[in-house]
């Protein structure tokens, strides 16, 4: 405790010397985002490169008299643009996991901004893992009173393992306090 605090601070403390706000402070907090390997610049470079290749090849087919093929090159570029745009939008989704002394909160925000939340009592919550020898941690879920919520769905097995270790430590710390 800092020495510069007011003497009234002693009255706000719990009789056993514990901090009354500690119960609400997170023991673990993480924001999990899907891996997005293509930046805006990367998107532009891929589209320009593929467009240039399609344009040059389309002109070659046009000169050979096969003009309908040129239109299909345009469709390919449109399909590639659509796929990369949808992937980039999906990359805006995220998942928040917060564990405090009184609750486990899992919140999922979709790329559209829709939010879904699950709240559990940390004393009744356990972590369920599905592992494979070759691929690592395949799935991670909170299980509490018959309800199961997947966590770190979009993470790689190595990232999921790292999250699992943090969640395991946090749940053990919370349960140790009781």
């Amino acid at each position: 405790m800092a020495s510069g605090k007011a003497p009234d601070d002693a009255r706000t403390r719990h009789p056993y010397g514990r901090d009354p706000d500690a119960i609400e402070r997170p023991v673990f907090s993480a924001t999990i985002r899907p891996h997005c390997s293509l930046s805006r610049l990367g998107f532009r470079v891929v589209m320009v490169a593929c467009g240039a290749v399609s344009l040059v090849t389309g002109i070659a087919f046009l000169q050979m008299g096969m003009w309908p093929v040129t239109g299909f090159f345009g469709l390919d570029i449109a399909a590639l643009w659509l796929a990369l745009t949808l992937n980039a939008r999906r990359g805006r989704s995220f998942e928040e996991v917060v564990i405090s002394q009184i609750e486990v909160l899992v919140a999922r925000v979709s790329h559209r901004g829709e939010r879904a939340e699950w709240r559990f009592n940390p004393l009744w919550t356990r972590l369920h893992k599905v592992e494979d020898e070759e691929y690592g941690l395949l799935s991670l879920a909170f299980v509490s009173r018959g309800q199961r919520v997947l966590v770190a769905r979009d993470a790689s097995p190595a990232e999921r393992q790292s999250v699992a270790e943090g969640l395991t430590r946090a749940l053990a710390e919370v349960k140790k306090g009781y």
Side-chain angles (χ1 to χ4, degrees), residues 3 21 50 62-63 69-70 96 101 105 124 145-146 151 166:
S3 60
D21 295 328
C50 290
L62 190 62
Q63 288 177 343
V69 175
T70 307
E96 292 176 334
Q101 296 289 333
L105 168 69
W124 294 98
R145 297 183 179 215
V151 180

Side-chain angles (χ1 to χ4, degrees), residues 100-145:
S100 69
Q101 296 289 333
I102 56 173
E103 79 175 345
V104 174
L105 168 69
V106 178
R108 233 178 250 138
V109 179
S110 74
H111 62 281
R112 293 183 188 104
E114 300 161 343
R115 184 177 178 95
E117 286 187 357
W118 296 267
R119 295 175 187 270
F120 304 108
N121 182 334
L123 300 178
W124 294 98
T125 304
R126 67 180 177 85
L127 211 51
H128 178 74
K129 303 175 192 176
V130 175
E131 296 186 64
D132 185 278
E133 288 181 20
E134 189 174 341
Y135 296 108
L137 189 57
L138 297 178
S139 77
L140 181 65
F142 282 119
V143 178
S144 180
R145 297 183 179 215

Side-chain angles (χ1 to χ4, degrees), residues 3 7 14 17 28 46 52 56-57 75 78-79 95 98 101 112 128 150 165 172:
S3 60
H14 192 274
F28 178 89
V46 167
V56 168
T57 311
L75 285 176
E95 193 173 5
V98 179
Q101 296 289 333
R112 293 183 188 104
H128 178 74
L150 289 174
E165 290 168 2

Side-chain angles (χ1 to χ4, degrees), residues 1-2 5-22 25:
M1 191 146 80
K5 292 207 177 187
D8 295 26
D9 195 34
R11 281 186 264 147
T12 63
R13 293 192 51 156
H14 192 274
Y16 299 120
R18 295 188 180 135
D19 181 9
D21 295 328
R25 251 185 246 123

Side-chain angles (χ1 to χ4, degrees), residues 45-62:
V45 168
V46 167
M47 289 307 298
V48 166
C50 290
V53 168
S54 289
L55 181 67
V56 168
T57 311
I59 290 172
F61 277 102
L62 190 62

